[in-house]
């Protein structure tokens, strides 16, 4: 067909679909236990049945009505939404205002995700899997703008009937617009934004709906009297660059519907990371350590499931106002040692003992997917290995790229980067909305480029 062109693009109009599974972990549990459908349901990381430790990975919409949010401590979630099994025996609790809790079961979720991926690859020639629960599809050669809505509805129906989970789908000429569209009418949504309508679609949306804008950036933009995506699209690019660096120009382009990226399949990632934002900056070291332990375990588990060994373990710490600090330690060779990931991450975190922190992240890099033997770590201690330190950098280095950002903050895990260069994250960013990442378990939703980290 004769495709229109968007300002800022250099080629024929793509037809891009972004598929985002709704509350994926909770949906998987509801598929396994149909009685949980329509019930408040919380899925916890580092959680065991009957326990009070761990963090919320995702919560069903019914649980969110009680104020349960991704990355929230299970103990706090239980204060807002008691366990139904306990409410039955406690006269002080109301059974109607109680819910169900389940531990994360990644093997099961991966098996369900594999069924979804099979459908996506059958429906599109080009698929970019961003995380366990979201993907971009280029269907330019399969459908036209006149037929794409019907195609997308058929895709949603196929996923629900064959796999038993719901998906929201956004279709647009660009990846960033498709991402926002898929989140616009959740759950079970379908939004099509045709060429020429992208900027109008964005104009009245809250600025935090723009791909790459999280809560911290949204507050900073508000201080510049930029409240909507339309305000951002009309903002002075030089002012944005001065305040946010190149990322300021980038989010402005996205708000204007300008995005030259094309959907490309991913090879082996160069790194795996998870990050989580606190609702407010905290100097509580116990809270910081708890979050880093959870993230370290999630990253190590992800690496294990992908068959990846890692030679570098690092953390990211964002301190007010937007200072990004990265620390890393290199090992003698590639290993698969979950306990070591946790130990090194916590050791590196010690430098920020007294600092108020907005966000923390854990990353493993220098990945090795070969079947060789693991490196010998005899003599490797907390102070051994090669230390790599990156000084604080302003938000222009990408303190807040969100891609993980997507489903409603699933998994409580976000991303270090939404980097088409090979940095992989899963699920969405914690407390930054969904677009979790390529970031963005996303956590990943579910998507900051720290190329040297």
């Amino acid at each position: 067909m004769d495709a229109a062109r968007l300002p800022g693009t250099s080629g024929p109009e793509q037809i891009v679909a972004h598929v985002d599974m709704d509350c994926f972990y909770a949906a998987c549990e509801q598929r396994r236990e149909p009685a949980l459908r329509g019930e408040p349901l919380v899925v916890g990381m580092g959680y065991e049945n009957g326990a009070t430790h761990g963090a919320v990975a995702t919560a069903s919409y019914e649980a969110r009505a009680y104020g349960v949010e991704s990355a929230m401590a299970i103990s706090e979630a239980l204060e807002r939404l008691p366990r139904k099994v306990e409410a039955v025996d406690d006269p002080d609790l109301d059974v109607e205002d109680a819910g169900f809790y389940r531990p994360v079961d990644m093997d099961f979720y991966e098996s369900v995700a594999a069924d979804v991926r099979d459908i996506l690859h059958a429906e599109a020639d080009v698929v970019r899997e961003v995380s366990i629960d979201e993907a971009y599809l280029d269907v330019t050669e399969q459908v036209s703008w006149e037929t794409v809505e019907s195609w997308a509805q058929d895709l949603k129906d196929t996923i629900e009937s064959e796999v038993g989970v719901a998906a929201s789908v956004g279709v647009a000429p660009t990846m960033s617009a498709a991402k926002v569209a898929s989140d616009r009418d959740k759950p079970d949504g379908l939004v099509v934004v045709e060429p020429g309508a992208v900027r109008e679609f964005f104009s009245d949306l809250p600025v935090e709906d723009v791909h790459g804008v999280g809560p911290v950036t949204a507050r900073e933009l508000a201080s510049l009297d930029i409240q909507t995506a339309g305000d951002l699209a009309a903002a002075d690019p030089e002012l944005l660059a001065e305040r946010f660096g190149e990322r300021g120009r980038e989010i402005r382009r996205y708000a204007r519907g300008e995005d030259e990226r094309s959907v490309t399949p991913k090879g082996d990632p160069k790194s795996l990371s998870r990050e989580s934002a606190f609702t407010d900056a905290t100097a509580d070291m116990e809270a910081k350590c708890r979050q880093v332990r959870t993230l370290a375990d999630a990253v190590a588990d992800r690496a294990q499931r992908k068959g990846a060994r890692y030679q570098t373990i690092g953390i990211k710490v964002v301190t007010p106002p937007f200072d990004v600090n990265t620390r890393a330690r290199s090992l003698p060779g590639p290993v698969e040692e979950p306990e070591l990931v946790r130990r090194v991450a916590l050791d590196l975190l010690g430098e920020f003992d007294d600092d108020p922190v907005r966000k923390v992240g854990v990353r493993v890099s220098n990945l090795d997917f070969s079947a060789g033997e693991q490196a010998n770590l005899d003599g490797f201690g907390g102070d051994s290995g090669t230390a790599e330190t990156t000084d604080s950098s302003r938000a222009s280095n990408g303190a807040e790229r969100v891609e993980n950002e997507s489903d409603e903050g699933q998994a409580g895990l976000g991303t270090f980067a939404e980097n088409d260069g090979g940095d992989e994250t899963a699920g969405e960013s914690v407390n930054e909305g969904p677009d979790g990442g390529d970031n963005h378990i996303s956590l990943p939703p579910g998507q900051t480029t720290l190329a040297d980290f």
Side-chain angles (χ1 to χ4, degrees):
M1 66 178 180
D2 293 331
R5 296 173 186 264
L6 280 181
T9 61
S10 57
E13 208 66 76
Q14 302 176 100
I15 303 180
V16 179
H18 181 261
V19 180
D20 195 355
M21 311 308 298
D22 298 329
C23 297
F24 184 58
Y25 298 169
C28 290
E29 295 294 343
Q30 290 166 337
R31 167 185 145 159
R32 179 157 53 184
E33 297 181 67
L36 295 176
R37 294 184 186 276
E39 296 285 347
L41 172 63
V42 177
V43 179
M45 300 176 293
Y47 167 77
E48 298 175 358
N49 286 325
T52 59
H53 58 265
V56 176
T58 194
S60 68
Y61 287 100
E62 295 80 5
R64 293 175 193 186
Y66 290 89
V68 178
E69 301 174 351
S70 297
M72 178 181 288
I74 291 292
S75 57
E76 183 179 352
L78 286 167
E79 293 176 3
R80 304 185 183 200
L81 182 69
R83 276 184 282 253
K84 190 156 300 231
V85 66
E86 295 171 356
V88 170
D89 298 324
D90 189 335
D92 294 329
L93 298 177
D94 187 343
V95 176
E96 296 300 318
D97 289 325
F100 297 88
Y101 286 73
R102 297 290 184 269
V104 164
D105 184 351
M106 286 306 301
D107 288 340
F108 177 57
Y109 306 156
E110 288 279 10
S111 70
V112 177
D115 292 338
V116 174
R117 286 195 295 269
D118 287 344
I119 294 172
L120 300 183
H121 283 275
E123 292 292 330
D125 293 335
V126 182
V127 178
R128 179 176 179 81
E129 299 163 14
V130 178
S131 69
I132 190 174
D133 62 349
E134 64 174 311
Y136 292 96
L137 286 66
D138 184 338
V139 293
T140 309
E141 301 300 323
Q142 282 98 320
V143 298
S144 66
W145 285 106
E146 289 73 25
T147 62
V148 69
E149 184 170 0
S150 175
W151 170 87
Q153 186 61 56
D154 287 344
L155 175 65
K156 284 166 50 64
D157 293 344
T158 300
I159 292 172
E160 186 158 14
S161 63
E162 295 188 10
V163 185
V165 293
S168 289
V169 177
V171 181
T174 66
M175 292 176 67
S176 54
K179 170 69 179 175
V180 175
S182 70
D183 196 48
R184 192 63 188 153
D185 198 24
K186 278 181 171 288
D188 198 23
L190 171 56
V191 174
V192 176
V193 184
E194 296 193 1
V198 176
R199 189 162 178 181
E200 180 182 358
F201 169 70
F202 273 107
S203 61
D204 294 329
L205 297 181
V207 71
E208 55 264 33
D209 284 2
V210 176
H211 180 63
V213 178
V216 176
T217 298
R219 288 196 294 269
E220 183 75 358
L221 289 168
S223 72
L224 302 175
D225 200 26
I226 297 174
Q227 305 283 351
T228 68
D231 295 337
L232 180 58
D236 180 355
E238 297 305 320
L239 173 64
L240 295 172
E242 180 181 344
R243 186 66 66 94
F244 302 102
E246 181 55 34
R247 193 168 65 91
R249 298 179 188 274
E250 181 179 63
I251 59 177
R252 178 179 179 272
R253 288 195 295 269
Y254 289 160
R256 295 169 64 85
E258 300 169 7
D259 183 357
E260 296 185 6
R261 295 177 301 163
S262 60
V263 180
T264 55
K266 288 166 51 178
D268 288 335
K270 297 178 181 178
S271 63
L272 300 167
S273 62
R274 299 287 187 274
E275 76 178 33
S276 173
F278 296 101
T279 303
D280 297 300
T282 180
D284 183 344
M285 192 58 179
E286 182 179 348
K288 290 183 282 189
C289 287
R290 181 171 59 246
Q291 200 79 296
V292 166
R293 280 193 294 267
T294 300
L295 297 172
D297 291 347
V299 168
D301 178 69
R302 182 79 171 165
Q304 183 179 50
R305 287 184 284 106
K306 283 188 165 290
R309 293 177 297 169
Y310 33 85
Q311 191 167 347
T312 301
I313 300 167
I315 65 168
K316 168 184 165 183
V317 177
V318 180
T319 57
F322 302 103
D323 293 335
V324 180
N325 304 273
T326 61
R327 303 290 185 267
R329 186 166 296 154
S330 293
L331 313 177
V335 301
E336 182 194 321
E337 293 284 349
E339 286 299 321
L340 186 61
V341 176
R342 177 188 284 201
R343 177 162 61 86
V344 170
L346 289 171
D347 187 46
L348 294 171
L349 180 67
E351 178 183 337
F352 304 92
D353 188 355
D354 298 322
D355 297 329
V357 170
R358 290 184 181 276
K359 182 187 295 185
V360 291
V362 175
R363 181 178 188 180
V364 295
S365 57
N366 290 331
L367 302 184
D368 180 7
F369 293 87
S370 68
E373 293 186 0
Q374 176 165 297
N376 187 333
L377 295 182
D378 288 347
F380 179 81
D383 297 325
S384 304
T386 302
E388 304 170 12
T389 300
T390 301
D391 291 336
S392 298
S393 55
R394 296 294 294 173
S396 59
N397 281 347
E400 222 187 330
R401 171 67 83 82
V402 184
E403 166 131 74
N404 123 340
E405 339 123 2
S406 60
D407 185 287
E408 331 128 0
Q410 168 166 292
L413 299 174
T415 72
F416 273 55
E418 198 245 338
N419 178 2
D420 286 340
D423 192 21
E424 177 168 308
T425 59
E428 288 101 25
S429 314
V430 178
N431 295 337
E432 294 199 353
D435 201 314
D438 169 277
N439 79 346
H440 321 214
I441 269 183
S442 110
L443 41 141
Q447 25 281 83
T448 319
T449 299
L450 301 174
D452 297 328
F453 177 24

